[in-house]
Amino acid sequence: MWCVCMRPQQRHRCRPWEMQVMREPDPAWSRNRLRSCEGSETLRFAPARMACELIRFMSPDDANIAGNVHGGTILKMIEEAGAIISTRHCNSQPGEPCVAALARVERTDFLSPMCIGEVATVSAEITYTSKRSVEVQVNVLSENILTGAKKVTNRATLWYVPLSLKNVDKVLEVPPVQYMRKEQEEEGKKRYEQQKLERLETKQRNGDMIFPVINPGVTMKLMDEVAGIVAARHCKTNIVTASVDAINFHEKIKKGCVITISGRMTFTSNKSMEIEVFVDADPFVDEPQERYRAVSAFFTYVSLSKEGKPLPVPQLVTETEDEKKRFEEGKGRYLQTKAKRQVHLQPLAQQ
């Protein structure tokens, strides 16, 4: 469990020599966003395709003792790339200036571990727009700079909504995107309707709405660290993130809040562990409101040997009725996503 005070001073800073901008987009917001990025990164933009690339060298600070890059580090890069391209698109036409806020992260698969010394390339592209939301699909590629070998490590889908800079509670309309084929728009609409249904299920389960959040990358990274601690304590081996189920943002986390991040194991298969992670916010400064649930998600981890081979996972012992119920629900998600993964990952396996 982690407790973190979200203070206004806790903003990213980067030294000017740590970033190279290959092509800077026109809106002023993007220049500010680039200055706020952290680490040794390169950003590339392709305006015609509404896509961008974020490139970063993986340092020892990004990885665990076994040399595997933390899943939270990758999640943070994925969100940053998505926020940049979606905010840029939402400001591509004259109108009220806005910033794209993350509303939902679809399931994210970690196809292969990334290691210290490799270069991560995060490619984000807008694939669908509704009246008030933007779908961004992200792929992560790792490169061994010694051998030149490359491999796809991650794939994710994120949904953003544009919030007015004058009133962050006001959701603006999204400029339409041009599709090369009619089928692309139809497929995007199907994905949009599907995620709306899944958000409705989340609302019914948690009793709340889904709110867009600005700059959630730090929170997502901390959630992965907490889940990793739970997984490591369970199997006592090197562990890596295998996938992240939909990350839902139930309430906004305001400045001055203390957030408590907790995780609990809900299900184990022969070679994987599911950990449910919660982020609770405690607004103790000038706020009479009690602690509330801000974010929730399911993380899946696998256990690895020193050679990087999958190891059997100790089975989770359930005692109470609630634990048994959560185990069965986790088993259902495991079987469902296992079937879907075989379909979605076939194109990636051919790359």
Side-chain angles (χ1 to χ4, degrees), residues 12 18-19 33-34 36-45 52-59 61-63 69-86 102 105 108 110 114-115 118-125 136-143 153-158 160 215-222 224 247:
H12 296 310
E18 288 185 330
M19 181 169 293
R33 182 62 192 258
L34 294 181
S36 71
C37 292
E38 180 182 31
S40 180
E41 303 171 334
T42 300
L43 292 172
R44 295 176 180 171
F45 295 87
C52 75
E53 286 186 348
L54 188 154
I55 303 174
R56 180 179 173 185
F57 178 80
M58 295 293 102
S59 68
D61 292 340
D62 300 313
V69 175
H70 294 296
T73 300
I74 304 300
L75 285 173
K76 186 171 181 291
M77 293 179 65
I78 288 174
E79 192 282 322
E80 288 177 347
I84 289 171
I85 194 61
S86 54
L102 182 63
V105 180
T108 304
F110 290 73
M114 190 177 296
C115 301
E118 294 184 336
V119 173
T121 300
V122 182
S123 302
E125 183 174 3
V136 180
Q137 293 192 11
V138 183
N139 289 287
V140 182
L141 187 75
S142 68
E143 176 187 358
T153 60
N154 301 81
R155 187 178 186 182
T157 301
L158 305 91
Y160 291 85
N215 193 21
V218 174
T219 303
M220 292 161 58
K221 185 176 180 180
L222 290 173
D224 178 76
I247 301 178

Side-chain angles (χ1 to χ4, degrees), residues 213-259:
V213 179
I214 300 174
N215 193 21
V218 174
T219 303
M220 292 161 58
K221 185 176 180 180
L222 290 173
M223 292 173 71
D224 178 76
E225 292 180 3
V226 169
I229 292 173
V230 174
R233 283 177 173 173
H234 179 73
C235 57
K236 309 295 184 182
T237 62
N238 177 35
I239 48 88
V240 293
T241 312
S243 64
V244 182
D245 230 355
I247 301 178
N248 293 298
F249 299 89
H250 311 296
E251 275 282 1
K252 297 178 181 178
I253 301 176
K254 300 178 181 179
K255 294 179 181 178
C257 285
V258 170
I259 62 172

Side-chain angles (χ1 to χ4, degrees), residues 319-348:
E319 297 178 350
T320 67
E321 290 300 322
D322 286 342
E323 290 175 345
K324 294 178 181 178
K325 180 181 179 181
R326 288 195 294 267
F327 187 90
E328 291 301 320
E329 291 174 346
K331 184 177 180 179
R333 286 188 294 269
Y334 168 76
L335 295 175
Q336 185 179 24
T337 54
K338 185 179 180 180
K340 290 181 178 179
R341 188 176 184 182
Q342 298 299 322
V343 176
H344 292 308
L345 298 187
Q346 285 179 357
L348 289 178

